[in-house]
Structure formats: structure tokens, C-alpha cells
Amino acid sequence: MTAEEALADLRARAEPGRATAMAAYHKIDRPYLGVANPQTNDLVASWRKRLSVEERVALSAALWATNIFEARLAAAKLLTQARIRPDEDVWRLIAGWVPDFDSWAIADHACMAGMKRLVADPSRIDEVEEWTRSDHMWTRRAALVITLPWTKQNHPKPADEAIRDRVLGWAAGYVGDPDWFIQKAVAWWIRDLSKHDATRARSFLETHGPLMKPFARKEAARHLSAPPPSSV
């Protein structure tokens, strides 16, 4: 399947007026086709059945390069799968997209694909740590989003606990960042962690909560019984 054929499939499912509404909502200057997310999901599922891993990587790269909103979502969805072997080309493609991130919707879909590859090979966490030092806000944010699977384990192994503590260290370095998306990402990580590891989440907030924006501190503590610490 070529990118042109995939785009034709997407355009055939566009809804009149939806592209304008999507552009106004996302506020990023790029082409929008006006395709609803369920329609994109159905298309991608049909493509995935017909394509090998190598063909999916090639199609995902071509779709991403168009900069069309739905095409970039489809590119990420094509690679969102727990078991892909070999997967080095998939990981390299996803990691290569990170500097292009400029909106939460596209970034989060790409990170969902990346989560699967990171869980499959946790040694890639070393590369993700490099993102935390980027000047690009969306790259720094991606380091927290892509590591969210480590917030959800009820019985983590020692290696997983080490990653959990490592990412908490990154989050601690972010708490003074005033950017709303960074604050939201820290809150997201701590909130999700609190449902599975309240002790670590509470300790983080006791130490770093006063430096967080009030909205982020409140969101992070949403599932904790004790109120979040207030800033001085």
C-alpha cells in the first residue's frame, strides 16, 4: 500500500465541516481532513492485517511525512502493537518522530506506540532520558508520557522499581518548569502512580509539590487521601 492509497482511504471518510472544526480545536497550522478517530481506527486495523512489519514501517514513515493530522495519527496507530519482532526499525522511526511533536494529540498517539517498544526493551530508557535535556518542550514531555506503563504495575519487579524511581527523578527536575504541558505531564505521571504506589506518589508531592503549579499539584493528588501540600 502506498501513502497515496492510504490518504485516499482517509479522504473518502472525511466529514463535511469537520476539518475546520478540528483545525480550530487543535490550533496547529497543518492540513486536516476531517476524519473521525473511530474511522481512522477501522482503516488502520484493515491496513495492519494486510501489511508486514516492514511495509507498515514504510507506510508509517510516508504518512508522517505528509504532516496531515489524520495521517500522522494513522502512522502512529499502525505501529501500536505489543508484539513486533524484530522491532528496532519501529523504535527508531518512533523515536525519530519525537522532535517533530507540536501538539498533544499527535504526540500522545506516537507515545502510545512508543510505550509498547519501550516495555518490550526497557534498555531504551537510556535514550529516553536524553529527551529530558532537550530544549524542545514536547520532547521533554514525551519522556514522561512514554514511560507511563511504569506507573501502572501493582507488583513491579526490582528493575521496574528502578525505572519508576528514575522517572520520578526526571519529574522532580520538571516541577519548576512553568510550561502548562510539562506541569500537566508531571501531574499525570504522579496521579497514575498514586493508584498503584501511593507511598511513592505521596513522598514525591511532599518533597516537590510546593514547587508545582496549584492545578498540577491538585491533579497529581486527586487519588490520594491526604491533601496535597500547599506552596509557601
Side-chain angles (χ1 to χ4, degrees), residues 12-65:
R13 288 158 176 79
E15 300 175 14
R18 189 178 184 90
T20 300
M22 291 172 66
Y25 175 74
H26 290 287
K27 298 182 176 64
I28 301 296
D29 184 17
R30 64 163 33 91
Y32 297 83
L33 302 180
V35 182
N37 201 45
Q39 294 282 339
T40 303
N41 287 340
D42 290 345
L43 267 180
V44 170
S46 69
W47 299 341
R48 190 184 291 119
K49 293 177 182 178
R50 296 153 48 192
L51 302 173
S52 67
V53 172
E54 293 77 13
E55 289 169 334
R56 277 190 278 151
V57 169
L59 179 57
S60 292
L63 288 173
W64 186 272

Side-chain angles (χ1 to χ4, degrees), residues 64-217:
W64 186 272
T66 68
N67 195 35
I68 296 171
F69 179 79
E70 293 89 341
R72 287 199 162 181
L73 293 194
K77 291 173 186 290
L78 266 172
L79 303 181
T80 305
Q81 181 179 335
R83 294 185 179 182
I84 301 178
R85 295 178 183 174
D87 73 344
E88 183 59 26
D89 288 346
V90 177
W91 169 252
R92 291 266 53 86
L93 182 59
I94 295 168
W97 290 342
V98 174
D100 295 337
F101 290 173
D102 58 5
S103 73
W104 64 267
I106 290 174
D108 289 0
H109 277 85
C111 282
M112 286 178 65
M115 289 175 195
K116 307 293 187 183
R117 308 282 49 84
L118 194 57
V119 170
D121 184 355
S123 70
R124 289 167 174 154
I125 202 80
D126 292 338
E127 181 175 350
V128 174
E129 184 165 22
E130 296 176 10
W131 303 354
T132 68
R133 296 183 280 271
S134 174
D135 293 332
H136 181 230
M137 181 276 289
W138 292 103
T139 297
R140 297 196 306 277
R141 175 184 179 272
L144 292 187
V145 178
I146 205 169
T147 52
L148 280 169
W150 279 272
T151 68
K152 303 180 188 303
Q153 301 142 327
N154 285 320
H155 304 289
K157 297 177 181 178
D160 294 317
E161 286 192 326
I163 291 176
R164 184 174 283 181
D165 288 334
R166 189 173 179 179
V167 179
L168 284 170
W170 305 346
Y174 284 1
V175 294
D177 192 316
D179 191 280
W180 187 92
F181 282 104
I182 294 293
Q183 290 282 319
K184 181 70 173 178
V186 173
W188 186 2
W189 219 92
I190 303 305
R191 181 200 66 203
D192 283 9
L193 178 65
S194 71
K195 292 184 283 187
H196 304 274
D197 190 343
T199 299
R200 275 185 171 86
R202 189 173 286 109
S203 176
F204 182 93
L205 287 173
E206 288 172 353
T207 303
H208 304 289
L211 295 176
M212 297 170 67
K213 296 290 186 183
F215 85 88
R217 191 168 60 245

